[in-house]
Amino acid sequence: MDASARKSRRRGLGAFVVTGLVVLGLVAVFFFIDGGLRGYAEDQIEQEIAANLPDTVTGDVAVSIGGLSVIAQYLGGSFDRVALESGALTVDGVPASVHVVATDVPLDQSEPVGDLRGIIDLEPDALNTLLAQALPNDAPDASVALGQGEISYSGDLEVLGFPIGYRASATPSVDADALLLTPSGASVTSGGGSIDAGNLLSLVLGEEPLRICVAPYLPEGVNLAGVNVTPERARLTLQSSALTLGRESLTTLGSCSNG
């Protein structure tokens, strides 16, 4: 190979290397800009959520946007995946840990989110607050304890003038707007003499499942989809395909069909 051919080959290789470096540089710049816009968009959504939360809700919500390119998603009119997280959100005095994932989130706030799935973790203190609100005024006070797949509560009531300590258990389930506690057992923990523990079920829990209405703590259109209970927490799962992210939607809370 003569000298001119070698020089031509080096020039061709050099041009290829330079072109490759330029392309890599442009890609790096794109992702740098895209990453900056992602952070900006997340901040804007956080501020929008904070401004549109109902007055009964306090706490900070962290936002993260998924997908490869925020720029491409923005130009397409929707975000692929938006995750909302709050470790300490309080709704009307009830504390909870909340994690929500929304997919196909439109930039137009009048359009509904494609799909929303979430979880709310409630500790015993939060359930005690909800239970106190759900029990009839003449029902005995109760304190909640959590087990594996079971919620129990204990307290004292008076039968024929005698104080009786009791512990009642219930199996949790949900419908669209409420947590349901179906009686499963009861026992006498103190006093009572020969009182039949089985009779405590009707005295403490009643014959029908106890409904703890949850809808007033959620935006209208967000429904309960399931419940899982461990000794540490009661986890409610949420679902919606009709929620919009405008102020009117977020501040319009649900209600229970049966109280």
Side-chain angles (χ1 to χ4, degrees), residues 70-123:
V70 169
I71 296 174
Q73 293 179 66
Y74 181 84
L75 293 176
S78 66
F79 292 118
D80 296 338
R81 181 182 185 276
V82 177
L84 313 176
E85 184 104 29
S86 179
L89 201 66
T90 300
V91 184
D92 199 17
V94 178
S97 172
V98 180
H99 178 75
V100 175
V101 173
T103 55
D104 191 16
V105 181
L107 297 177
D108 183 351
Q109 293 182 355
S110 66
E111 295 294 324
V113 172
D115 184 65
L116 181 144
R117 305 292 169 119
I119 59 174
I120 297 178
D121 284 342
L122 300 172
E123 296 182 355

Side-chain angles (χ1 to χ4, degrees), residues 87 89 94-99 118-131 144-153 170-174 178-181 212 214 218 224-238:
L89 201 66
V94 178
S97 172
V98 180
H99 178 75
I119 59 174
I120 297 178
D121 284 342
L122 300 172
E123 296 182 355
D125 286 347
L127 284 173
N128 277 325
T129 300
L130 292 174
L131 180 63
V144 167
L146 302 178
Q148 195 64 44
E150 176 186 87
I151 293 177
S152 64
Y153 38 102
T171 302
S173 61
V174 300
L179 173 65
L180 308 179
L181 300 182
I212 298 180
V214 177
L218 302 171
L224 295 178
V227 59
N228 175 267
V229 177
T230 68
E232 293 78 28
R233 50 77 185 144
R235 172 167 291 177
L236 302 176
T237 55
L238 313 174

Side-chain angles (χ1 to χ4, degrees), residues 1 4 10 20 27 64 86-87 113 131 135 168 187 247-248 255 258:
M1 182 181 297
S4 61
R10 284 197 296 270
V27 170
S64 60
S86 179
V113 172
L131 180 63
L135 288 172
S187 61
R247 178 171 179 78
E248 182 178 356
S255 61
N258 296 313

